[in-house]
C-alpha cells in the first residue's frame, strides 16, 4: 500500500448503510426510530430502499429553468479564505499608496505571505527574528529545505512587503520603504483582486489539463499621465507652472522642495515624499492617499462573504451539457470513467490552494412548488401510471414525509420551502454544500433521483459544539466579522483538519436511488461528483421536540431568525388533543410543561419590573416580521412587550429592558393565552395521554399478567368498546385485544362442554377407577387447561381443573425424575404411589413405579449395608445377592449386583490370604503385613481375619515404638519393662527385629544375677539376692515367722499405692517404679535409715533382757524360742543369744572375730574387689534392675562407711573409748560398728575396728571360747579397754598391707597408654591416714584425686589409674572401680556418673538430707 503524499486527503470512515426489508420500509418514521440509536452516533446514514422501489421522475423538465450560484472553490475553505482576505488587505494597502502588489516566487513557488506573516508574529516580530537570526527556522517551518539561504530571501520579502503593513497596523514609525512603482522585479506577478486569477498555477501538476484561466495582468491603479500631481497641483502638458506657496508639508511644516511635495487625492493635504512613512523616492504615478486617508480606508469593515448568482439561467439540459463538458475537459476523460476517489482528492486540493482558482456553478435551493417535485404528486402535470400510484401516498415521497401524522411539522400552518416543501438541487462536478445544520436542528432527508454520486460528510450531534469551536479556533478572522458564519452555508473545512482536532467525521457516497438522512444538530457538508439531480426536505419526530426547544434558546443567543414559532406549533397541537396520537400527546405534554413554566416565570419577572398594562393579541394573524423580537429576532407567540413610543417594535420577555428608555409602566404586555388557558390546554393534552396510557396499562395487564390477575370477560369487551369510542389509533395492541376477546368467547363454550362431559363420565363409573376407559386422559386435561391459560379471563371451573392438572403434572414430573434417577428413594416412590390414589386420571407410570419400588428397596438395603462396613459380613453379602437375583433388570441393580459380587469375591480371597500371612512360620516382617493391611483397609466389609491382622500390626507398631522409646535419649531401660516387652512379643505373630536384642539383653541380666547370687548368697540360702543386697526393713524376733507371710501378701500390697517400705516386696516395687537410679538411691537411703533405727532399737531391746534384775529363765531366746540354758552364744549385731546347739558356730573362732547369728549373717559377704566388677559389668549391660540399684547403693554405703571410719580415726574418736566411764560405746561408734556389721561386703576396716574396740573394752583373756556359760560375761567380753594407739596402728598396717598387695598386682598388669599414670609417693604417709601423728609433714605430696565417691585412697610406689571414656573424662583408681589392669587395657570404661546421669543429683540429695 502506497503511503499518502504530504497534505493528501485521507477519506474519513464510512457512515452506516441500512437496507430495510419491505415490511420495515412500509413505515418511514418507525424504521427511522429503529435505526436512530445507531445512526445518530455518526450524524448521517444512508438508506438503500428495496430494489423494487423505483419512483418515476416527475419533475417538469421543460419548465425547469434556474439561475445557479457561482462557487470559487478556494474561497469556500475557511483557512484558504483567511489567506485570500489577508492578501486583499495587503494589496489594498499598497494600492492606496500608488503601488502595485506583486507576489514574489521563492524556489519556483508562490510565497505564502499569510503563513510568513503568521510565523514571524509567532516568533516575536520582525526585530526579534532578525536579532535571534531565526529566518532559517522560519523557512524550514514553511517547508523549504534548509541550507539554501532561503531565510535571507524571506527576510527581504517580509521587510519590503509585510513589515510596512505591520508597522502601519500598529501605528508605529515606519522605516523607509523600498517598494516603489519604479522598482521592477521579474519574479513578481500582479495580483488581480477582483478575479482572483493573477496567481499562475504550477507548471507541473498531477492533472493533465486545467480550466482556462485569464493570463493578462490587470493593474489596480489607472495611470493618468495628464493628471500627475506635483507641487500640490495637477501639472498640464504645457510648460507653464503656477506658484503654490501656500501649500505646506503637514509633517515638517515647510513649503520648501516644491517638486517633492505631494497632494493627497482624498483630503488634499500636502506631504513631502521624504517626510512620509515610509519615504518615497519619487512621485507615484497613480492616485495617492495620505496616511490619514489610508487608515480610514483600511479600517472599513469587510463586506460579508456570500455566493454570487450566475449571469445566465440554465435549463436542465443546458446545465447538464455544461457540467459534463467541464468534468470531461478538467480530467481529460469521459465523465463516467473518472473515479470518485480521484474527484474527492482533487476537490479538497483545490479548496485548499490559492494558486489555482476553479469556479463552478450549483443549482441549489430550487423550490419544488414552482417547477414540480421529482416525486409524483396529485394534481400535477405528470401523469402517473396505475402501477406507480402507490408512490403518490408513500411515506418516503418527500412531499408526504413532512406532513405525516408522526411528523410534528404537519402542525406548522405555513408552507415553509425547504422544510415542509422539498427543495431541488442540480449539481455539477465540484459544486458543494458547506458545513451546516438544519433549521431548528431538525432531521433532513435527501434523495438522489439520478446522476452521478453526491459525497457527504457528517459529524454527530453531540460533536456540534466541538466542530464549531475547532473552526473558530482555526479561522478566527472569519468569525470576528460574521459570528453566525456557519449558519450562512458559505464555509467549508477539510474533514482531515477537523478529525485531526478531535471531531468525529464520517462520509458516504450517495448514489442514484438512495436516501441520506441527517439527524438533529448533525453538521454535514459535501460536494457533487458530477451532474445529478437531488431533492431534500426536513421532518421532525416526537423525539425532536426537546431538541427543537433548545435550538430556539440557541437562536436567541445568536440573534438568529426562527423559521417558525416553536411555541405556536406546540399550542396548535395541544388544541387538537382529542384526536392526537397518544404517544405524541405524551411528548407534547412534557414539552408544554417546560414552555408554561418558563412563560409563567417570565411574566412574573416582567410584572415585578413594573409592566402592568396587558392586552391579548392574536399573534398567528400577524406576519412574522411584525412579531419578531428586535433584539434576538425570536418569533413571539405566547407573549411580547411593546411601547407606545415605537409601536412597530416588539421584544420578547427575555429582552424587556432592550425595547426603549421609557418607564416600565409605559410598556404593554401582549399575550396570546392567559396562564389559566395554557394550563387548561396542558390538562387536556395530559388527559389524552393518560387516558390512552390507562387503556394501554389495562390491556397490557390483561395480556401480560395472565397467571396473576385475570379479569372477567366483560372487562375485555369494555376495553374494546372504549378504544372504538375514543378513536384510539389502530395499533397492534388493539388488534391483539380483539383477538384475545374472541378467543376467550370460544374457549368459555368449550370449557363448559369439557366439564359437563367429565361429570357424566364420573357418574357412569360411580367415581371409582375400575374402568380405565372412563378416566380422563392427561392429554385431554392438559389441552383444556392450556386453553384456559391462554385466556385473560377467569372461568368458574378453572381452579378445580387447574389444581388437578397441577397435581397430575407434579406426579408426572416426580415420576419422570424418579424413573430417570439411577437410585430413587423408596420413600419417595411409596409416597408417589400414595399420591396417585387421589388422581382420577389415567396414569401409565404406575406399573413402572411399583417395579422401581422393589428395586429401590433392595438398593437401599445394599446401600445401608455398604454404609456400615463394620457389619457387612460375608453372609450378609450372600443374602443380598440372592435377593437381587429375583428383581427386574435395571442398570442400577446390575451395577449394584456386580459391585456386591466383586466385593464378596475380593473379601473371600483376602480372608484366606490374611489367615495364611498370620499363620506363616517364620513370621513375616511388619512391612509385609502393613502393605497387606493397606490393601485390606480399602475393602468396605467386615472381615474378621483382616481385623485381626490390623490388631496385630497395631500391636507390632506399638511394641516397636515402646522398644525404641526404652533407650531413647540415652535412657537405661528397666528390667521389668524389658521382660514385659519380651513377654508381649510372644503374642505378636510378626517378625520383630529388636526382639532378639532384647532377649539377649535379658539373658545377660539373668547371667549377671546368677553371677551376683554366687558371689553373695550362701549355699541353700533362704534369702533372695535383693534381700541380701538391700538394707533390711523387717528385723526382729518374729522375722523368720513373718517372712513367708509377707512374701505371700506381696501381690496384694503391690496393687496398692502405699508409700510404706515394710518388706522386701515394698522395696522391690518402689525400685521398679522409680524413674531413674537417683530416685532409687533415695528410696534405698530411706530403707537404710529405717534399718538402722530398727536395728539399734532391737539391740537395745535384746540387751535390756539380760539386765541383772531380770529373770533369765522366763525369757524366750534363740531360734527355738526357749529359755536360755547351757552354752549360749551372742550375736554381735542384733545382740540376741542363741543355744550353741541350735545354731552353727565356729569352734576355732579367734579373738577379735565377730559372730553373727543366722538371721544377721545372710550372705557370704564377699570382699569389695569382687563386688566392684559386678557393678561395672552391669553398667556395660545398661539395664536397670532392683538388684543392680541395691548393689550400687551397697557399694556407695560401703565406701561412705569407710570414709566415716577413716574420719573417726582422724578426728580421734577411737582414743576416747578407753576414757568412757561406763565401759560402753558411744552412740556414734555403736552406729558405726553396727553399720559395718550390716554391710554385705567383707572389709578389713570392719575387723580392725571390731578388734580395736574389743581390745579396748574387753582385753584378751587367758582362755577364750566362743561359747560361755554366763551370758553376762559374753556380753561384757567385747567390752575390754585395749590400748587405742596400738589398735589404730594395727588397723593402719592392715590397710597398708592390703593396698600393697593391690599395688603388687598392678605392677604385673599391662597398663593402657592413654588411661594410666604413675603416682610417686614419698616415704612418709599422708597425715590424713595417720592416727598416731596427725600433724602434717614438711613436704607435701603432689597427687591427683580419684573421682570415685568411695575412693579407697590406695598407697604405694605404683597405683593403677583408668580414665572414663564417657563425657566426663575423669580419672579413677582401678581398685576403686573394681577394674583389673587387663580389662582396663582391653575394654572401654564408662563411670557410673556417665552411664547413669541422675546419679550425681541423687548423691547431692543424700548429702543434703544428712
Amino acid at each position: 500500500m502506497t503511503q499518502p503524499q504530504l497534505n493528501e486527503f485521507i477519506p474519513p470512515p464510512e457512515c452506516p448503510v441500512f437496507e430495510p426489508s419491505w415490511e420495515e420500509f412500509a413505515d418511514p418514521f418507525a424504521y427511522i426510530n429503529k435505526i436512530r440509536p445507531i445512526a445518530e452516533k455518526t450524524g448521517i446514514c444512508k438508506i438503500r430502499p428495496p430494489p423494487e422501489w423505483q419512483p418515476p421522475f416527475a419533475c417538469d423538465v421543460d419548465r425547469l429553468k434556474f439561475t445557479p450560484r457561482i462557487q470559487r472553490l478556494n474561497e469556500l475553505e475557511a483557512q484558504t479564505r483567511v489567506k485570500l482576505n489577508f492578501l486583499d488587505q495587503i494589496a489594498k494597502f499598497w494600492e492606496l499608496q500608488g503601488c502595485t502588489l506583486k507576489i514574489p516566487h521563492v524556489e519556483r513557488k508562490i510565497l505564502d505571505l499569510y503563513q510568513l506573516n503568521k510565523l514571524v508574529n509567532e516568533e516575536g516580530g520582525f526585530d526579534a527574528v532578525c536579532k535571534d537570526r531565526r529566518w532559517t527556522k522560519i523557512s524550514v517551518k514553511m517547508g523549504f529545505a534548509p541550507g539554501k539561504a532561503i531565510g535571507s530571501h524571506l527576510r527581504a520579502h517580509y521587510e519590503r512587503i509585510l513589515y510596512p503593513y505591520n508597522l502601519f497596523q500598529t501605528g508605529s514609525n515606519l522605516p523607509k520603504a523600498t517598494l516603489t512603482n519604479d522598482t521592477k522585479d521579474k519574479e513578481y506577478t500582479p495580483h488581480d483582486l477582483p478575479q482572483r486569477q493573477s496567481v499562475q498555477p504550477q507548471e507541473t501538476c498531477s492533472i493533465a489539463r486545467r480550466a482556462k484561466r485569464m493570463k493578462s495582468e490587470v493593474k489596480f491603479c489607472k495611470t493618468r499621465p495628464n493628471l500627475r500631481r506635483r507641487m500640490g497641483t495637477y501639472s498640464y502638458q504645457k510648460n507653464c507652472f503656477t506658484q503654490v506657496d501656500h501649500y505646506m508639508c503637514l509633517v515638517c511644516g515647510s513649503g520648501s522642495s516644491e517638486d517633492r511635495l505631494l497632494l493627497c487625492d482624498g483630503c488634499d493635504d500636502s506631504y513631502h515624499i521624504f517626510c512620509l512613512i515610509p519615504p518615497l523616492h519619487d512621485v507615484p504615478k497613480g492616485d495617492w492617499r495620505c496616511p490619514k486617508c489610508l487608515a480610514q480606508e483600511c479600517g472599513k469593515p469587510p463586506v460579508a462573504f456570500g455566493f454570487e448568482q450566475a449571469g445566465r439561467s440554465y435549463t436542465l439540459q443546458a446545465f447538464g451539457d455544461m457540467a459534463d463538458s467541464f468534468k470531461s475537459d478538467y480530467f481529460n476523460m469521459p465523465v463516467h470513467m473518472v473515479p470518485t476517489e480521484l474527484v474527492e482528492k482533487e476537490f479538497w486540493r483545490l479548496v485548499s490552494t490559492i494558486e489555482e482558482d476553479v469556479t463552478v456553478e450549483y443549482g441549489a435551493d430550487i423550490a419544488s412548488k414552482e417547477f414540480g417535485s421529482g416525486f409524483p404528486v396529485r394534481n400535477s402535470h405528470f401523469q402517473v401510471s396505475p402501477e406507480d400510484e402507490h408512490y403518490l401516498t408513500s411515506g418516503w415521497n418527500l412531499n408526504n414525509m413532512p406532513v405525516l401524522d408522526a411528523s410534528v411539522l404537519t402542525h406548522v400552518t405555513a408552507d415553509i420551502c425547504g422544510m415542509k416543501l422539498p427543495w431541488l438541487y442540480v449539481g455539477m462536478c465540484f459544486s458543494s454544500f458547506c458545513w451546516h445544520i438544519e433549521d431548528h436542528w431538525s432531521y433532513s432527508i435527501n434523495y438522489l433521483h439520478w446522476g452521478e454520486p453526491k459525497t457527504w460528510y457528517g459529524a454527530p450531534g453531540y460533536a456540534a459544539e466541538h466542530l464549531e469551536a475547532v473552526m473558530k479556533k482555526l479561522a478566527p478572522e472569519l468569525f470576528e466579522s460574521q459570528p453566525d458564519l456557519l449558519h450562512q452555508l458559505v464555509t467549508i473545512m477539510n474533514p482531515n483538519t477537523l478529525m485531526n482536532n478531535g471531531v468525529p467525521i464520517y462520509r458516504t457516497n450517495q448514489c442514484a436511488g438512495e436516501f441520506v438522512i441527517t439527524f438533529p444538530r448533525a453538521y454535514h457538508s459535501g460536494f457533487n461528483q458530477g451532474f445529478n439531480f437531488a431533492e431534500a426536505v426536513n421532518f421532525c419526530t416526537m423525539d425532536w421536540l426537546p431538541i427543537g426547544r433548545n435550538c430556539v434558546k440557541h437562536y436567541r443567543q445568536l440573534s438568529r431568525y426562527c423559521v417558525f414559532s416553536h411555541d405556536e406549533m406546540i399550542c396548535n397541537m395541544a388544541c387538537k388533543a382529542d384526536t392526537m396520537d397518544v404517544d405524541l400527546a405524551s411528548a407534547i405534554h412534557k414539552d408544554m410543561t417546560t414552555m408554561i413554566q418558563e412563560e409563567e416565570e417570565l411574566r412574573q419577572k416582567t410584572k415585578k419590573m413594573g409592566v402592568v398594562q396587558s392586552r391579548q393579541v392574536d399573534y398567528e394573524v400577524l406576519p412574522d416580521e411584525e412579531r419578531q423580537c428586535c433584539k434576538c429576532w425570536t418569533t413571539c407567540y405566547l407573549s411580547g412587550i411593546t411601547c407606545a413610543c415605537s409601536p412597530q417594535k416588539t421584544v420578547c420577555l427575555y429582552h424587556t429592558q432592550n425595547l426603549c428608555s421609557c418607564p416600565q409602566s409605559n410598556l404593554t404586555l401582549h399575550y396570546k393565552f392567559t396562564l389559566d388557558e395554557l394550563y387548561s390546554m396542558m390538562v387536556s393534552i395530559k388527559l389524552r395521554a393518560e387516558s390512552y396510557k390507562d387503556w394501554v396499562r389495562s390491556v397490557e395487564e390483561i395480556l401480560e399478567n395472565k397467571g396473576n390477575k385475570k379479569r372477567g370477560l366483560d372487562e375485555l369487551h369494555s376495553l374494546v368498546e372504549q378504544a372504538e369510542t375514543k378513536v384510539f389509533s389502530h395499533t397492534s395492541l388493539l388488534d391483539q385485544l380483539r383477538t384475545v376477546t374472541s378467543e376467550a368467547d370460544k374457549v368459555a363454550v368449550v370449557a363448559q362442554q369439557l366439564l359437563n362431559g367429565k361429570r357424566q363420565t364420573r357418574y357412569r363409573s360411580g367415581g371409582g377407577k375400575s374402568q380405565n376407559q372412563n378416566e380422563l386422559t392427561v392429554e385431554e386435561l392438559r389441552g383444556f387447561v392450556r386453553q384456559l391459560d391462554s385466556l385473560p379471563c377467569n372461568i368458574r371451573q378453572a381452579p378445580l381443573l387447574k389444581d388437578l392438572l397441577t397435581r397430575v403434572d407434579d406426579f408426572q414430573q416426580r415420576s419422570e425424575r424418579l424413573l430417570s434417577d439411577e437410585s430413587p428413594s423408596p420413600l419417595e416412590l411409596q409416597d408417589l404411589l400414595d399420591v396417585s390414589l387421589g388422581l382420577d386420571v389415567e396414569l401409565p407410570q404406575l406399573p413402572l413405579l411399583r417395579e422401581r419400588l422393589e428395586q429401590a428397596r433392595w438398593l437401599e438395603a445394599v446401600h445401608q449395608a455398604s454404609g456400615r462396613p463394620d457389619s457387612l459380613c460375608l453372609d450378609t453379602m450372600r443374602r443380598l445377592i440372592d435377593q437381587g437375583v429375583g428383581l427386574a433388570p435395571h442398570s442400577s441393580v446390575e451395577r449394584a449386583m456386580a459391585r456386591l459380587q466383586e466385593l464378596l469375591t475380593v473379601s473371600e480371597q483376602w480372608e484366606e490370604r490374611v489367615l495364611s500371612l498370620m499363620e506363616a512360620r517364620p513370621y513375616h516382617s511388619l512391612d509385609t503385613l502393613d502393605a497387606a493391611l493397606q490393601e485390606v483397609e480399602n475393602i468396605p466389609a467386615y472381615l474378621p481375619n483382616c481385623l485381626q491382622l490390623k490388631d496385630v500390626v497395631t500391636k507390632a507398631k506399638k511394641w516397636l515404638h515402646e522398644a525404641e522409646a526404652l533407650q531413647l535419649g540415652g535412657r537405661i531401660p528397666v528390667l521389668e519393662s524389658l521382660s514385659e516387652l519380651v513377654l508381649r512379643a510372644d503374642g505378636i505373630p510378626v517378625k520383630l527385629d529388636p526382639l532378639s536384642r532384647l532377649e539377649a539383653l535379658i539373658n545377660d541380666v539373668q547371667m549377671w544375677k546368677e553371677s551376683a547370687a554366687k558371689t553373695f548368697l550362701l549355699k541353700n540360702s533362704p534369702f533372695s539376692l535383693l534381700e541380701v543386697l538391700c538394707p533390711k526393713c523387717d528385723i526382729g524376733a518374729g522375722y523368720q515367722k513373718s517372712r513367708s507371710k509377707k512374701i505371700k501378701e506381696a501381690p496384694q500390697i503391690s496393687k496398692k499405692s502405699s508409700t510404706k517400705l515394710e518388706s522386701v516386696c515394698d522395696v522391690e516395687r518402689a525400685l521398679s517404679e522409680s524413674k531413674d537410679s537417683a530416685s532409687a538411691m533415695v528410696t534405698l537411703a530411706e530403707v537404710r535409715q529405717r534399718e538402722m533405727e530398727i536395728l539399734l532399737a532391737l539391740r537395745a531391746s535384746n540387751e535390756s533382757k539380760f539386765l541383772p534384775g531380770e529373770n533369765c529363765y522366763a525369757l524366750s531366746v534363740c531360734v527355738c524360742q526357749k529359755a536360755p540354758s547351757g552354752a549360749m552364744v551372742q550375736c554381735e549385731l542384733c545382740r540376741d543369744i542363741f543355744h550353741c546347739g541350735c545354731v552353727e558356730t565356729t569352734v576355732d573362732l579367734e579373738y577379735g572375730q565377730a559372730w553373727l547369728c543366722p538371721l544377721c549373717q545372710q550372705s557370704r559377704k564377699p570382699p569389695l574387689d569382687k563386688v566392684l566388677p559386678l557393678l561395672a559389668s552391669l553398667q556395660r549391660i545398661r539395664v536397670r534392675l532392683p538388684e543392680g540399684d541395691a548393689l550400687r547403693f551397697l557399694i556407695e554405703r560401703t565406701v561412705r562407711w569407710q570414709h566415716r571410719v577413716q574420719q573417726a580415726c582422724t578426728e580421734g574418736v577411737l582414743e576416747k573409748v578407753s576414757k568412757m566411764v561406763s565401759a560402753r560405746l558411744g552412740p556414734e561408734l555403736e552406729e558405726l560398728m553396727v553399720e559395718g556389721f550390716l554391710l554385705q561386703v567383707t572389709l578389713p576396716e570392719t575387723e580392725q575396728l571390731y578388734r580395736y574396740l574389743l581390745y579396748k573394752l574387753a582385753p584378751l583373756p587367758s582362755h577364750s571360747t566362743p561359747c560361755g556359760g554366763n551370758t553376762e560375761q559374753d556380753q561384757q567380753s567385747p567390752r575390754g579397754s585395749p590400748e587405742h594407739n596400738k589398735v589404730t596402728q594395727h588397723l593402719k598396717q592392715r590397710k597398708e598391707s592390703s593396698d600393697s598387695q593391690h599395688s603388687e598386682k598392678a605392677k604385673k598388669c599391662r597398663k593402657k597408654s592413654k588411661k594410666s599414670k604413675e603416682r610417686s609417693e614419698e616415704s612418709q604417709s599422708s597425715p590424713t591416714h595417720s592416727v598416731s601423728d596427725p600433724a602434717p609433714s614438711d613436704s607435701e605430696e603432689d597427687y591427683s584425686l580419684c573421682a570415685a565417691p568411695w575412693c579407697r585412697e590406695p598407697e604405694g610406689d605404683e597405683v593403677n589409674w583408668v580414665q572414663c571414656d564417657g563425657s566426663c573424662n575423669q580419672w579413677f583408681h582401678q581398685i576403686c572401680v573394681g577394674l583389673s589392669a587387663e580389662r582396663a587395657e582391653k575394654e572401654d570404661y564408662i563411670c557410673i556418673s556417665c552411664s547413669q546421669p541422675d546419679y550425681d543429683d541423687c548423691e547431692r540429695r543424700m548429702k543434703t538430707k544428712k
Side-chain angles (χ1 to χ4, degrees), residues 1132 1146 1148-1155 1237 1247 1250-1251 1254:
E1132 291 294 338
T1146 304
D1148 55 351
L1149 190 64
E1150 297 181 356
Y1151 175 79
Q1153 291 184 346
W1155 179 83
F1237 286 139
E1247 183 178 354
Y1250 176 73
R1251 287 185 177 183
L1254 182 63

Side-chain angles (χ1 to χ4, degrees), residues 921 923 959 979-990 992 995 999:
R921 297 293 183 277
Y923 294 143
W959 190 93
S979 302
E980 189 268 338
L981 202 60
V982 172
L983 184 62
R984 281 167 49 200
D986 293 340
I988 303 176
V990 182
L992 303 173
L995 180 60
E999 289 177 344

Side-chain angles (χ1 to χ4, degrees), residues 834-845:
D834 295 341
V835 170
S836 67
L837 299 176
L839 301 178
D840 295 331
V841 181
E842 182 180 349
L843 302 172
Q845 296 90 355

Side-chain angles (χ1 to χ4, degrees), residues 1191-1264:
L1191 178 62
R1192 178 179 174 184
F1193 183 78
L1194 174 61
I1195 294 175
E1196 293 179 2
R1197 184 179 182 184
T1198 301
V1199 172
R1200 284 195 295 270
W1201 185 83
Q1202 287 178 331
H1203 280 280
R1204 289 177 61 193
V1205 171
Q1206 294 176 6
Q1207 188 176 4
C1209 295
T1210 303
E1211 295 176 355
V1213 177
L1214 298 181
E1215 297 178 356
K1216 302 177 182 179
V1217 176
S1218 58
K1219 300 178 182 180
M1220 294 180 181
V1221 178
S1222 60
R1224 291 179 60 89
L1225 291 176
E1228 184 178 357
L1229 286 177
E1230 183 180 5
E1231 181 180 351
L1232 189 63
M1233 193 68 247
V1234 168
E1235 188 169 7
F1237 286 139
L1238 287 174
L1239 297 175
Q1240 301 301 320
V1241 180
T1242 300
L1243 295 174
E1245 289 86 347
T1246 307
E1247 183 178 354
Q1248 292 174 5
L1249 179 60
Y1250 176 73
R1251 287 185 177 183
Y1252 176 78
L1253 296 177
L1254 182 63
Y1255 174 77
K1256 286 291 185 180
L1257 300 178
L1260 183 64
S1262 58
H1263 297 284
S1264 172

Side-chain angles (χ1 to χ4, degrees), residues 204-221:
T204 58
C205 183
S206 59
I207 305 301
R209 192 174 178 183
R210 295 283 182 266
K212 296 180 179 180
R213 297 165 178 82
M214 298 181 350
K215 298 184 179 180
S216 62
E217 297 182 0
V218 180
K219 298 183 180 180
F220 296 101
C221 53

